[in-house]
mmCIF file of all heavy atoms in Angstrom:
data_model
loop_
_atom_site.group_PDB
_atom_site.id
_atom_site.type_symbol
_atom_site.label_atom_id
_atom_site.label_comp_id
_atom_site.label_asym_id
_atom_site.label_seq_id
_atom_site.Cartn_x
_atom_site.Cartn_y
_atom_site.Cartn_z
ATOM 1 N N THR A 172 5.101 3.600 -2.035
ATOM 2 C CA THR A 172 4.803 2.222 -1.685
ATOM 3 C C THR A 172 3.612 2.128 -0.737
ATOM 4 O O THR A 172 2.731 1.282 -0.937
ATOM 5 C CB THR A 172 6.047 1.583 -1.038
ATOM 6 O OG1 THR A 172 7.151 1.612 -1.966
ATOM 7 C CG2 THR A 172 5.811 0.133 -0.665
ATOM 8 N N CYS A 173 3.593 2.957 0.249
ATOM 9 C CA CYS A 173 2.452 2.958 1.204
ATOM 10 C C CYS A 173 1.162 3.305 0.520
ATOM 11 O O CYS A 173 0.117 2.668 0.748
ATOM 12 C CB CYS A 173 2.733 3.928 2.375
ATOM 13 S SG CYS A 173 4.056 3.392 3.453
ATOM 14 N N ALA A 174 1.183 4.298 -0.368
ATOM 15 C CA ALA A 174 -0.056 4.653 -1.082
ATOM 16 C C ALA A 174 -0.513 3.540 -1.995
ATOM 17 O O ALA A 174 -1.713 3.245 -2.076
ATOM 18 C CB ALA A 174 0.204 5.938 -1.924
ATOM 19 N N ALA A 175 0.421 2.853 -2.653
ATOM 20 C CA ALA A 175 0.062 1.775 -3.565
ATOM 21 C C ALA A 175 -0.553 0.585 -2.771
ATOM 22 O O ALA A 175 -1.421 -0.124 -3.285
ATOM 23 C CB ALA A 175 1.271 1.306 -4.321
ATOM 24 N N ARG A 176 -0.070 0.349 -1.543
ATOM 25 C CA ARG A 176 -0.612 -0.721 -0.705
ATOM 26 C C ARG A 176 -1.958 -0.346 -0.089
ATOM 27 O O ARG A 176 -2.641 -1.156 0.504
ATOM 28 C CB ARG A 176 0.333 -1.048 0.430
ATOM 29 C CG ARG A 176 1.498 -1.899 0.060
ATOM 30 C CD ARG A 176 2.193 -2.406 1.323
ATOM 31 N NE ARG A 176 2.462 -1.375 2.312
ATOM 32 C CZ ARG A 176 3.644 -1.091 2.737
ATOM 33 N NH1 ARG A 176 4.731 -1.691 2.297
ATOM 34 N NH2 ARG A 176 3.814 -0.136 3.645
ATOM 35 N N GLY A 177 -2.284 0.963 -0.150
ATOM 36 C CA GLY A 177 -3.550 1.403 0.476
ATOM 37 C C GLY A 177 -3.378 1.740 1.946
ATOM 38 O O GLY A 177 -4.381 1.813 2.656
ATOM 39 N N ASP A 178 -2.147 1.898 2.402
ATOM 40 C CA ASP A 178 -1.937 2.254 3.811
ATOM 41 C C ASP A 178 -2.525 3.610 4.121
ATOM 42 O O ASP A 178 -2.508 4.521 3.281
ATOM 43 C CB ASP A 178 -0.437 2.288 4.165
ATOM 44 C CG ASP A 178 0.225 0.941 4.052
ATOM 45 O OD1 ASP A 178 -0.473 -0.070 3.911
ATOM 46 O OD2 ASP A 178 1.466 0.876 4.104
ATOM 47 N N ASP A 179 -3.044 3.775 5.353
ATOM 48 C CA ASP A 179 -3.546 5.098 5.722
ATOM 49 C C ASP A 179 -2.375 6.017 6.022
ATOM 50 O O ASP A 179 -1.224 5.596 6.086
ATOM 51 C CB ASP A 179 -4.525 4.977 6.903
ATOM 52 C CG ASP A 179 -3.895 4.453 8.168
ATOM 53 O OD1 ASP A 179 -2.634 4.417 8.268
ATOM 54 O OD2 ASP A 179 -4.635 4.097 9.078
ATOM 55 N N GLN A 180 -2.703 7.277 6.253
ATOM 56 C CA GLN A 180 -1.648 8.279 6.492
ATOM 57 C C GLN A 180 -0.846 8.003 7.740
ATOM 58 O O GLN A 180 0.370 8.248 7.758
ATOM 59 C CB GLN A 180 -2.260 9.681 6.596
ATOM 60 C CG GLN A 180 -2.809 10.194 5.307
ATOM 61 C CD GLN A 180 -3.367 11.590 5.527
ATOM 62 O OE1 GLN A 180 -3.184 12.218 6.578
ATOM 63 N NE2 GLN A 180 -4.021 12.098 4.484
ATOM 64 N N ASP A 181 -1.468 7.508 8.780
ATOM 65 C CA ASP A 181 -0.740 7.171 10.003
ATOM 66 C C ASP A 181 0.387 6.160 9.754
ATOM 67 O O ASP A 181 1.489 6.310 10.220
ATOM 68 C CB ASP A 181 -1.686 6.688 11.090
ATOM 69 C CG ASP A 181 -2.656 7.755 11.595
ATOM 70 O OD1 ASP A 181 -2.310 8.922 11.503
ATOM 71 O OD2 ASP A 181 -3.731 7.371 12.053
ATOM 72 N N ALA A 182 0.017 5.105 9.012
ATOM 73 C CA ALA A 182 0.963 4.067 8.722
ATOM 74 C C ALA A 182 2.110 4.597 7.831
ATOM 75 O O ALA A 182 3.283 4.271 8.035
ATOM 76 C CB ALA A 182 0.285 2.882 8.049
ATOM 77 N N ALA A 183 1.764 5.441 6.834
ATOM 78 C CA ALA A 183 2.808 5.979 5.960
ATOM 79 C C ALA A 183 3.710 6.941 6.736
ATOM 80 O O ALA A 183 4.919 6.910 6.564
ATOM 81 C CB ALA A 183 2.113 6.716 4.790
ATOM 82 N N TRP A 184 3.142 7.766 7.572
ATOM 83 C CA TRP A 184 3.922 8.690 8.402
ATOM 84 C C TRP A 184 4.911 7.918 9.248
ATOM 85 O O TRP A 184 6.096 8.224 9.286
ATOM 86 C CB TRP A 184 2.927 9.489 9.294
ATOM 87 C CG TRP A 184 3.481 10.373 10.313
ATOM 88 C CD1 TRP A 184 3.768 10.040 11.607
ATOM 89 C CD2 TRP A 184 3.814 11.754 10.184
ATOM 90 N NE1 TRP A 184 4.206 11.142 12.286
ATOM 91 C CE2 TRP A 184 4.251 12.217 11.470
ATOM 92 C CE3 TRP A 184 3.750 12.674 9.149
ATOM 93 C CZ2 TRP A 184 4.669 13.524 11.714
ATOM 94 C CZ3 TRP A 184 4.160 13.980 9.379
ATOM 95 C CH2 TRP A 184 4.623 14.388 10.653
ATOM 96 N N ASP A 185 4.409 6.895 9.915
ATOM 97 C CA ASP A 185 5.287 6.054 10.777
ATOM 98 C C ASP A 185 6.362 5.344 9.955
ATOM 99 O O ASP A 185 7.517 5.243 10.377
ATOM 100 C CB ASP A 185 4.461 5.052 11.568
ATOM 101 C CG ASP A 185 3.577 5.710 12.632
ATOM 102 O OD1 ASP A 185 3.831 6.853 13.012
ATOM 103 O OD2 ASP A 185 2.583 5.030 13.029
ATOM 104 N N SER A 186 6.026 4.845 8.781
ATOM 105 C CA SER A 186 6.971 4.138 7.919
ATOM 106 C C SER A 186 8.102 5.043 7.534
ATOM 107 O O SER A 186 9.273 4.621 7.603
ATOM 108 C CB SER A 186 6.296 3.607 6.675
ATOM 109 O OG SER A 186 5.364 2.581 7.009
ATOM 110 N N VAL A 187 7.827 6.247 7.143
ATOM 111 C CA VAL A 187 8.876 7.189 6.748
ATOM 112 C C VAL A 187 9.778 7.547 7.936
ATOM 113 O O VAL A 187 10.986 7.500 7.848
ATOM 114 C CB VAL A 187 8.270 8.472 6.107
ATOM 115 C CG1 VAL A 187 9.370 9.517 5.908
ATOM 116 C CG2 VAL A 187 7.608 8.172 4.776
ATOM 117 N N LEU A 188 9.131 7.872 9.047
ATOM 118 C CA LEU A 188 9.919 8.322 10.209
ATOM 119 C C LEU A 188 10.761 7.216 10.818
ATOM 120 O O LEU A 188 11.752 7.471 11.483
ATOM 121 C CB LEU A 188 9.008 8.952 11.261
ATOM 122 C CG LEU A 188 8.332 10.250 10.846
ATOM 123 C CD1 LEU A 188 7.522 10.831 11.967
ATOM 124 C CD2 LEU A 188 9.323 11.250 10.278
ATOM 125 N N ARG A 189 10.424 5.952 10.581
ATOM 126 C CA ARG A 189 11.280 4.843 11.019
ATOM 127 C C ARG A 189 12.565 4.759 10.206
ATOM 128 O O ARG A 189 13.558 4.190 10.641
ATOM 129 C CB ARG A 189 10.527 3.503 10.909
ATOM 130 C CG ARG A 189 9.685 3.188 12.097
ATOM 131 C CD ARG A 189 9.243 1.735 12.093
ATOM 132 N NE ARG A 189 8.433 1.368 10.932
ATOM 133 C CZ ARG A 189 7.123 1.470 10.863
ATOM 134 N NH1 ARG A 189 6.464 2.003 11.881
ATOM 135 N NH2 ARG A 189 6.488 1.134 9.814
ATOM 136 N N LEU A 190 12.567 5.328 8.978
ATOM 137 C CA LEU A 190 13.681 5.153 8.073
ATOM 138 C C LEU A 190 14.655 6.320 8.014
ATOM 139 O O LEU A 190 15.768 6.159 7.519
ATOM 140 C CB LEU A 190 13.150 4.918 6.642
ATOM 141 C CG LEU A 190 12.339 3.626 6.435
ATOM 142 C CD1 LEU A 190 11.722 3.615 5.048
ATOM 143 C CD2 LEU A 190 13.217 2.407 6.670
ATOM 144 N N VAL A 191 14.245 7.481 8.495
ATOM 145 C CA VAL A 191 15.103 8.669 8.356
ATOM 146 C C VAL A 191 15.353 9.362 9.690
ATOM 147 O O VAL A 191 14.559 9.200 10.642
ATOM 148 C CB VAL A 191 14.493 9.686 7.366
ATOM 149 C CG1 VAL A 191 14.367 9.124 5.964
ATOM 150 C CG2 VAL A 191 13.101 10.174 7.851
ATOM 151 N N LEU A 192 16.462 10.078 9.773
ATOM 152 C CA LEU A 192 16.728 10.879 10.980
ATOM 153 C C LEU A 192 15.796 12.078 10.959
ATOM 154 O O LEU A 192 15.616 12.742 9.907
ATOM 155 C CB LEU A 192 18.164 11.362 11.000
ATOM 156 C CG LEU A 192 19.233 10.296 11.075
ATOM 157 C CD1 LEU A 192 20.638 10.916 10.910
ATOM 158 C CD2 LEU A 192 19.115 9.541 12.387
ATOM 159 N N HIS A 193 15.219 12.408 12.104
ATOM 160 C CA HIS A 193 14.253 13.509 12.122
ATOM 161 C C HIS A 193 14.164 14.120 13.504
ATOM 162 O O HIS A 193 14.467 13.464 14.509
ATOM 163 C CB HIS A 193 12.882 13.044 11.647
ATOM 164 C CG HIS A 193 12.287 11.978 12.518
ATOM 165 N ND1 HIS A 193 11.572 12.251 13.646
ATOM 166 C CD2 HIS A 193 12.351 10.642 12.391
ATOM 167 C CE1 HIS A 193 11.194 11.107 14.164
ATOM 168 N NE2 HIS A 193 11.648 10.133 13.457
ATOM 169 N N ASP A 194 13.719 15.372 13.534
ATOM 170 C CA ASP A 194 13.382 16.010 14.820
ATOM 171 C C ASP A 194 12.021 15.472 15.286
ATOM 172 O O ASP A 194 11.260 14.987 14.477
ATOM 173 C CB ASP A 194 13.298 17.517 14.636
ATOM 174 C CG ASP A 194 14.648 18.151 14.350
ATOM 175 O OD1 ASP A 194 15.672 17.478 14.502
ATOM 176 O OD2 ASP A 194 14.674 19.322 13.917
ATOM 177 N N PRO A 195 11.735 15.622 16.581
ATOM 178 C CA PRO A 195 10.381 15.221 17.012
ATOM 179 C C PRO A 195 9.327 16.037 16.261
ATOM 180 O O PRO A 195 9.465 17.222 16.041
ATOM 181 C CB PRO A 195 10.387 15.600 18.482
ATOM 182 C CG PRO A 195 11.794 15.626 18.900
ATOM 183 C CD PRO A 195 12.551 16.054 17.677
ATOM 184 N N PRO A 196 8.278 15.371 15.809
ATOM 185 C CA PRO A 196 7.229 16.096 15.088
ATOM 186 C C PRO A 196 6.616 17.198 15.933
ATOM 187 O O PRO A 196 6.453 17.036 17.160
ATOM 188 C CB PRO A 196 6.174 15.017 14.794
ATOM 189 C CG PRO A 196 6.966 13.727 14.805
ATOM 190 C CD PRO A 196 8.014 13.917 15.851
ATOM 191 N N ALA A 197 6.332 18.318 15.289
ATOM 192 C CA ALA A 197 5.749 19.490 15.976
ATOM 193 C C ALA A 197 4.392 19.791 15.330
ATOM 194 O O ALA A 197 4.163 19.558 14.155
ATOM 195 C CB ALA A 197 6.670 20.686 15.817
ATOM 196 N N THR A 198 3.526 20.335 16.136
ATOM 197 C CA THR A 198 2.227 20.782 15.687
ATOM 198 C C THR A 198 2.302 22.289 15.348
ATOM 199 O O THR A 198 2.889 23.038 16.121
ATOM 200 C CB THR A 198 1.153 20.571 16.749
ATOM 201 O OG1 THR A 198 1.117 19.158 17.052
ATOM 202 C CG2 THR A 198 -0.218 20.986 16.294
ATOM 203 N N VAL A 199 1.802 22.658 14.191
ATOM 204 C CA VAL A 199 1.802 24.068 13.769
ATOM 205 C C VAL A 199 0.352 24.477 13.549
ATOM 206 O O VAL A 199 -0.453 23.690 13.146
ATOM 207 C CB VAL A 199 2.659 24.323 12.519
ATOM 208 C CG1 VAL A 199 4.136 24.074 12.811
ATOM 209 C CG2 VAL A 199 2.198 23.481 11.371
ATOM 210 N N ALA A 200 0.096 25.785 13.805
ATOM 211 C CA ALA A 200 -1.248 26.296 13.667
ATOM 212 C C ALA A 200 -1.691 26.345 12.196
ATOM 213 O O ALA A 200 -2.837 26.132 11.858
ATOM 214 C CB ALA A 200 -1.355 27.649 14.288
ATOM 215 N N ARG A 201 -0.713 26.703 11.329
ATOM 216 C CA ARG A 201 -1.005 26.779 9.887
ATOM 217 C C ARG A 201 0.220 26.292 9.132
ATOM 218 O O ARG A 201 1.327 26.707 9.377
ATOM 219 C CB ARG A 201 -1.319 28.190 9.462
ATOM 220 C CG ARG A 201 -2.641 28.688 10.108
ATOM 221 C CD ARG A 201 -2.906 30.107 9.738
ATOM 222 N NE ARG A 201 -2.886 30.272 8.275
ATOM 223 C CZ ARG A 201 -3.529 31.203 7.623
ATOM 224 N NH1 ARG A 201 -4.217 32.114 8.294
ATOM 225 N NH2 ARG A 201 -3.498 31.276 6.324
ATOM 226 N N LEU A 202 -0.017 25.356 8.186
ATOM 227 C CA LEU A 202 1.094 24.781 7.446
ATOM 228 C C LEU A 202 1.780 25.791 6.503
ATOM 229 O O LEU A 202 2.926 25.617 6.158
ATOM 230 C CB LEU A 202 0.603 23.599 6.611
ATOM 231 C CG LEU A 202 0.280 22.351 7.439
ATOM 232 C CD1 LEU A 202 -0.345 21.282 6.563
ATOM 233 C CD2 LEU A 202 1.518 21.836 8.158
ATOM 234 N N ASN A 203 1.095 26.894 6.186
ATOM 235 C CA ASN A 203 1.755 27.863 5.303
ATOM 236 C C ASN A 203 2.929 28.560 5.982
ATOM 237 O O ASN A 203 3.783 29.086 5.297
ATOM 238 C CB ASN A 203 0.742 28.890 4.745
ATOM 239 C CG ASN A 203 0.038 29.662 5.805
ATOM 240 O OD1 ASN A 203 0.319 29.558 7.000
ATOM 241 N ND2 ASN A 203 -0.941 30.481 5.364
#
């Protein structure tokens, strides 16, 4: 839905995290 509306990644990230239970986001050096 966010991609179809043209929302940027920040807005999509926030939209998802408002709807689901989650741990605090963490920064990782490499996603692999």
Side-chain angles (χ1 to χ4, degrees):
T172 300
C173 291
R176 281 193 312 240
D178 294 351
D179 63 14
Q180 290 181 9
D181 292 334
W184 173 270
D185 292 340
S186 293
V187 170
L188 294 184
R189 274 195 299 274
L190 296 173
V191 296
L192 296 173
H193 60 87
D194 292 346
T198 301
V199 294
R201 293 178 57 154
L202 289 174
N203 59 5

